[in-house]
């Protein structure tokens, strides 16, 4: 008795059913290639065109939903035809689909990285291990790698999503066989839907302001809701669903609106905000399900539009485009690092990377992926040999071709091994950051519990030309991100005794809680130095909260930012406006100080080296000098100026 059957429409209704699961002979699902094309374009624009799509990363979630739907549909088709699922054959098909493309990518890009050297070979061995075992996401998390930290250009960072998918593929067929024991389809859908919702709620529950969200983004447990949502829809539609004409039109329109919604999310939802983790990514997954439903409806105009030739061409090659674009961008950036100093240069890098990505994808798809997918590994090798005999009838020529191919393969393997063995354990940015940590730890002293005295700034008479005395480092508590951390040694050299509390990937939203912690520990000194904004926007409400926490007992210096990121102009505008409003707040102009001397930054064009750290400290010193030269508070009438905006 079949487990799945197509439902019928009421008498007198002209149904337009969802496409049933293909028969064992196989037909394709309408519109899926077009949806893949949209997903990969979102991701490519997000990575290669700086600031163009702040939320383009949701393309990965569209891929997750499509994968969950398609894999589940194929498994259900097989089970309906044979009453079983041959797990071995399923995993072999997955291997044929993924391993040739990934193997070629890893060998070629790792070999080039070994030649380029420097930061691009950081942790290459671990990244290759993750690619080989489909565990890139967990290996990255075990190494405390941040998806949102631009300081280390990991060559194979984008393979984290394949790790999530392949871990799902490994477990899901077995779980599905168990799920089919549940007697009612609605029960199966309910179980899958509840599991997807639980994963989304887990992501939301684990998020908190100021944290690095990499654990939530990379985690298979927290980021599997898209795969589960796609699987739930495949189970729901497995027996076929019938719709009348009006419902069919509404569903097609809903599919198109869902695509518009996905593009809108890609435009307005930045990765560093709260929205993605508090339901934004789950919403993208839900919209993807609606888009699939509208596209796969029989006779759907939405599906026909998605199947148009340009979208279908991109969609068929979307896997390769996703694989190649990130490593190529990392390599081009490393080779032409000077171009990252300007927006035009960044777009140039993105354009070059896009052209190379398309070329590599087309070659891989035609000569590696498709032959192995159709014929298997041995069949593809036999076909290559047959074609070679036809095109090169002379045995000597064939031997030469084989020798060249073998030599090229060995050279790629040797270069990759060289990159793993000789790769630096830490790149230029990480070395500088580690030096900053070491400098902070080496000068740390136990806190005595005494409250530091307020800074005293001698008042210069109008006739005096001597500048006001700068406060000592023992008067300053500095709170910052990795840029301040990389500058820690220079800050300590310039301001002996300064307390520095800096961390990688820290965002400005974390500052209020950090200030509260310092106040509770009695370690907040009279002058507070804040150096954040590299990792995301600065909110005016957070600045107001900081101002309220510090009150009139503390003076404040905020450091503006320099980074090739879309939000930095907004950060600098907000910090400048804030400093101009208050009498006892001063701006340290790191951006303008370092802009003429970008050679003093590391390859990421964000973090300073030793000489750049001195420029950072000098910008802070200039701000403190201006703060010290403010007229003193001399009476009740003037006292209010210290607390009120000008």
């Amino acid at each position: 008795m079949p487990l799945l059957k197509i439902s019928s429409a009421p008498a007198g209704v002209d149904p337009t059913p969802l496409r049933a699961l293909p028969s064992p002979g196989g037909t394709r699902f309408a519109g899926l290639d077009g949806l893949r094309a949209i997903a990969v374009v979102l991701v490519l624009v997000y990575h290669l065109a700086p600031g163009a799509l702040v939320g383009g990363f949701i393309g990965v979630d569209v891929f997750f939903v499509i994968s969950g739907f398609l894999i589940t549909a194929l498994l259900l088709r097989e089970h309906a035809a044979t009453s079983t699922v041959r797990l071995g054959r399923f995993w072999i098909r997955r291997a044929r689909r993924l391993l040739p493309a990934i193997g070629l990518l890893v060998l070629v890009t790792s070999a080039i990285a070994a030649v380029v050297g420097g930061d691009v070979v950081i942790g290459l061995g671990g990244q290759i291990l993750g690619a080989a075992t489909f565990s890139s996401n967990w290996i990255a998390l075990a190494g405390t790698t941040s998806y949102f930290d631009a300081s280390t250009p990991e060559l194979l960072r984008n393979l984290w999503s394949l790790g999530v998918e392949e871990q799902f593929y490994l477990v899901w067929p077995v779980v599905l066989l168990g799920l089919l024991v549940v007697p009612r389809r609605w029960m199966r859908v309910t179980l899958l839907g509840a599991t997807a919702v639980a994963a989304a709620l887990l992501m939301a529950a684990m998020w908190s302001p100021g944290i690095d969200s990499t654990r939530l983004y990379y985690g298979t447990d927290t980021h599997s809701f898209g795969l589960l949502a796609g699987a739930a829809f495949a189970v729901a539609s497995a027996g076929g669903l019938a719709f009348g004409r009006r419902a069919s039109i509404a569903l097609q329109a809903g599919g198109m609106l869902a695509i518009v919604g996905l593009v809108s999310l890609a435009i307005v939802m930045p990765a560093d905000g709260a929205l993605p983790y508090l339901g934004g990514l789950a919403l993208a997954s839900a919209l993807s399900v609606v888009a699939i439903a509208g596209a796969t409806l029989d006779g759907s105009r939405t599906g026909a539009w998605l199947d148009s030739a340009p979208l279908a061409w991109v969609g068929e090659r979307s896997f390769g485009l996703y694989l190649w674009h990130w490593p190529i961008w990392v390599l081009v950036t490393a080779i032409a690092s000077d171009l990252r100093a300007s927006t035009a240069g960044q777009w140039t890098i993105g354009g070059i990377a896009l052209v190379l990505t398309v070329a590599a994808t087309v070659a891989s798809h035609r000569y590696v992926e498709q032959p192995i997918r159709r014929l298997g590994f041995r069949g593809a090798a036999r076909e290559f040999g047959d074609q070679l005999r036809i095109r090169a009838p002379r045995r000597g020529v064939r031997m030469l071709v084989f020798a060249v191919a073998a030599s090229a393969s060995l050279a790629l393997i040797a270069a990759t091994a060289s990159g793993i063995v000789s790769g630096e354990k830490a790149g230029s940015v990480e070395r500088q950051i580690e030096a900053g940590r070491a400098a902070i730890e080496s000068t740390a002293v136990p806190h005595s519990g005494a409250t530091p005295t307020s800074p005293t700034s001698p008042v210069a008479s109008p006739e005096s030309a001597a500048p006001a005395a700068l406060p000592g480092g023992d008067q300053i508590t500095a709170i910052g991100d990795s840029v301040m951390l990389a500058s820690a040694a220079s800050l300590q050299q310039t301001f002996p005794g300064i307390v520095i509390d800096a961390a990688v990937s820290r965002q400005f939203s974390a500052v209020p809680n950090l200030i509260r912690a310092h106040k509770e520990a009695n370690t907040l000194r009279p002058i507070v130095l804040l150096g954040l904004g590299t990792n995301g926007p600065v909110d005016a409400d957070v600045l107001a909260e900081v101002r309220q926490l510090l009150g009139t007992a503390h003076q404040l210096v905020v450091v503006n930012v320099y980074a090739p990121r879309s939000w930095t102009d907004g950060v600098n505008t907000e910090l400048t406006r804030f400093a101009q409003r208050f009498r006892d707040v001063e701006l340290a102009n790191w951006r303008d100080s370092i802009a003429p001397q970008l050679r003093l930054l590391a390859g990421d064009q964000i973090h300073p080296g030793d000489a750049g750290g001195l420029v950072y400290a000098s910008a802070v010193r200039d701000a403190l000098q201006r703060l010290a030269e403010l007229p003193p508070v001399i009476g009740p009438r003037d006292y209010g100026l210290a607390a009120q905006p000008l």
Side-chain angles (χ1 to χ4, degrees):
M1 186 175 77
L3 288 171
L4 309 168
K5 66 178 183 179
I6 299 176
S7 59
S8 58
V13 176
D14 177 21
T16 305
L18 277 172
R19 186 182 298 278
L21 290 176
S23 64
T27 58
R28 59 185 293 277
F29 287 94
L32 291 194
D33 279 337
L35 285 175
R36 288 192 187 98
I38 292 171
V40 79
V41 167
L42 293 179
V43 174
L44 263 62
V45 173
Y46 175 66
H47 284 144
L48 303 184
L53 279 180
V54 296
F57 59 93
I58 67 167
V60 172
D61 293 86
V62 181
F63 278 127
F64 282 172
V65 176
I66 293 172
S67 296
F69 168 75
L70 187 57
I71 291 301
T72 305
L74 296 177
L75 290 170
L76 289 173
R77 181 188 70 181
E78 180 181 356
H79 190 275
T82 65
S83 298
T84 187
V85 173
R86 286 177 284 188
L87 298 177
R89 287 190 60 184
F90 170 79
W91 288 320
I92 288 173
R93 289 196 301 269
R94 289 289 85 205
R96 286 181 178 178
R97 176 72 180 96
L98 301 176
L99 292 181
I102 294 174
L104 180 65
L105 169 88
V106 169
L107 282 177
V108 171
T109 58
S110 299
I112 296 173
V115 174
V116 173
D119 289 353
V120 295
V121 294
I122 297 171
L124 186 58
Q127 294 177 61
I128 293 175
L129 175 63
T133 59
F134 295 109
S135 59
S136 295
N137 57 327
W138 293 112
I139 287 179
L141 289 173
T144 65
T145 297
S146 173
Y147 178 76
F148 308 99
D149 181 17
S151 64
T152 303
E154 296 168 301
L155 185 69
L156 304 175
R157 176 179 290 181
N158 60 323
L159 298 189
W160 75 269
S161 63
L162 295 184
V164 173
E165 286 196 14
E166 287 308 304
Q167 291 154 34
F168 177 80
Y169 295 156
L170 182 65
V171 176
W172 175 238
V174 179
V175 174
L176 181 61
L177 288 174
L179 188 67
L180 290 175
V181 176
V182 177
R184 302 294 183 189
R185 184 169 59 179
W186 68 266
M187 294 180 180
R188 302 169 202 157
V189 175
T190 300
L191 285 171
L192 281 173
T195 307
V197 170
L201 290 175
L202 179 62
M203 173 180 277
M206 293 177 63
W207 184 87
S208 63
I211 70 164
D212 185 320
S213 301
T214 302
R215 168 63 183 87
L216 314 183
Y217 197 66
Y218 277 3
T220 309
D221 52 348
T222 52
H223 208 158
S224 59
F225 45 80
L227 290 158
L228 291 165
F233 179 66
V235 172
S237 60
L241 299 171
F243 295 88
R245 183 174 178 275
R246 291 181 179 177
S248 170
I249 292 173
L251 188 56
Q252 292 178 55
M256 187 61 72
L257 288 174
I259 294 171
V260 173
L262 287 168
V263 174
S264 300
L265 277 179
I267 293 172
V268 303
M269 186 172 71
D272 50 14
L275 181 57
Y277 316 101
L278 300 183
L281 295 178
L283 175 59
S285 298
L287 290 172
S288 299
V289 170
V290 176
I292 292 173
T296 54
L297 196 70
D298 279 347
S300 169
R301 293 184 179 181
T302 300
W305 173 73
L306 289 169
D307 281 337
S308 62
L311 287 175
W313 189 93
V314 174
E316 288 172 5
R317 293 157 183 80
S318 58
F319 178 59
L321 290 168
Y322 178 80
L323 280 184
W324 285 94
H325 85 280
W326 177 262
I328 286 177
W329 180 83
V330 169
L331 293 170
V332 172
T333 300
I335 294 169
S337 59
D338 290 346
L339 291 177
R340 291 196 70 187
S342 66
T343 301
Q346 294 169 49
W347 280 79
T348 301
I349 289 174
I352 295 170
L354 179 61
V355 171
L356 294 176
T357 295
V358 173
T361 297
V362 169
S364 174
H365 183 264
R366 179 175 180 180
Y367 297 111
V368 178
E369 298 170 49
Q370 288 299 96
I372 294 176
R373 192 176 183 183
R374 287 187 294 106
L375 305 170
F377 292 96
R378 285 181 293 183
R382 283 195 298 269
E383 183 181 71
F384 174 74
D386 293 341
Q387 289 294 322
L388 187 59
R389 278 191 291 272
I390 294 171
R391 297 171 185 268
R394 292 186 179 181
R395 191 170 185 273
V397 175
R398 293 200 300 273
M399 294 300 293
L400 177 61
V401 172
F402 277 118
V404 170
S407 299
S409 299
L410 290 174
L412 288 174
I413 293 171
T416 299
S418 172
I420 294 171
V421 173
S422 64
E424 304 171 58
K425 293 183 179 179
S428 58
V429 174
E430 288 186 322
R431 286 195 301 271
Q432 192 68 22
I433 289 173
E434 286 304 316
R437 287 196 183 101
I440 292 171
E441 292 171 1
S442 67
T443 57
V445 295
H447 178 57
S448 64
T451 303
T453 58
S454 298
T456 56
S457 299
V459 183
S461 65
E463 296 82 9
S464 173
L470 277 172
D474 59 349
Q475 300 287 314
I476 305 170
T477 297
I479 299 173
D481 55 22
S482 57
V483 175
M484 180 180 285
L485 194 54
S487 308
S490 298
L491 286 172
Q492 290 177 334
Q493 177 182 335
T494 307
F495 308 104
I498 187 174
V499 167
I500 301 175
D501 178 357
V504 173
S505 299
R506 180 178 282 170
Q507 298 190 24
F508 210 100
S509 56
V511 172
N513 286 336
L514 292 169
I515 289 176
R516 290 188 185 96
H518 277 286
K519 292 180 76 171
E520 290 172 3
N522 200 25
T523 56
L524 193 66
R525 294 176 172 181
I527 297 176
V528 176
L529 171 67
L530 299 181
L532 305 99
T534 307
N535 300 301
V538 173
D539 191 284
D541 291 339
V542 175
L543 286 170
E545 186 178 2
V546 167
R547 173 71 185 168
Q548 184 178 16
L549 286 169
L550 294 180
T552 59
H554 302 273
Q555 293 179 307
L556 177 62
V557 173
V558 291
V559 186
N560 64 11
V561 297
Y562 181 91
R565 296 292 179 267
S566 60
W567 56 80
T568 55
D569 286 344
V571 167
N572 290 334
T573 298
E574 199 66 53
L575 293 177
T576 301
R577 184 182 297 127
F578 178 69
Q580 289 173 344
R581 289 183 61 212
F582 295 99
R583 178 180 184 275
D584 54 354
V585 177
E586 190 57 64
L587 180 76
N589 198 346
W590 160 244
R591 180 194 62 184
D592 290 352
S593 298
I594 197 61
Q597 310 176 73
L598 296 181
R599 67 187 184 281
L600 303 182
L601 297 177
D604 65 352
Q605 292 293 287
I606 296 175
H607 295 83
D610 290 337
L614 292 174
V615 176
Y616 187 96
S618 177
V620 171
R621 183 183 59 224
D622 292 345
L624 287 171
Q625 185 68 59
R626 292 192 296 273
L627 203 60
E629 292 173 353
L630 286 174
V633 175
I634 58 176
R637 179 176 299 176
D638 296 321
Y639 181 79
L641 293 175
Q644 300 298 323
L646 296 173

